Amino acid sequence: MIIEPSNYTYETMPDYEDAVDGAVEIPVTGEEIEIRYAHEVVYDEAHNLHLEIFTPFQMAHPERT
């Protein structure tokens, strides 16, 4: 199955509520101090797909991701 890329904005991006094997939800408590940002992570080279990954962590306790 090939899915054509769409030019979504934050407002027009549809909700996705289906379960994804291996995916976990990272709860946000409001106490996060910093966000780690991984830019342009290759997801699928054949289709030139990339991810932007944001991981919250506490600066004083970076092991608490």
Side-chain angles (χ1 to χ4, degrees):
M1 174 160 102
I2 297 176
I3 300 173
E4 294 297 322
S6 298
N7 195 13
Y8 289 116
T9 66
Y10 185 79
E11 291 78 20
T12 62
M13 183 70 171
D15 288 335
Y16 186 81
E17 298 177 1
D18 293 340
V20 177
D21 289 338
V24 296
E25 184 175 333
I26 301 173
V28 178
T29 65
E31 297 179 22
E32 289 74 23
I33 296 172
E34 193 164 328
I35 300 289
R36 290 188 178 131
Y37 174 56
H39 178 69
E40 294 287 332
V41 177
V42 177
Y43 174 67
D44 183 347
E45 285 186 15
H47 296 99
N48 194 28
L49 299 177
H50 298 81
L51 296 172
E52 309 294 319
I53 301 175
F54 298 84
T55 307
F57 75 101
Q58 292 181 339
M59 188 175 272
H61 305 282
E63 72 282 359
R64 295 183 186 174
T65 57

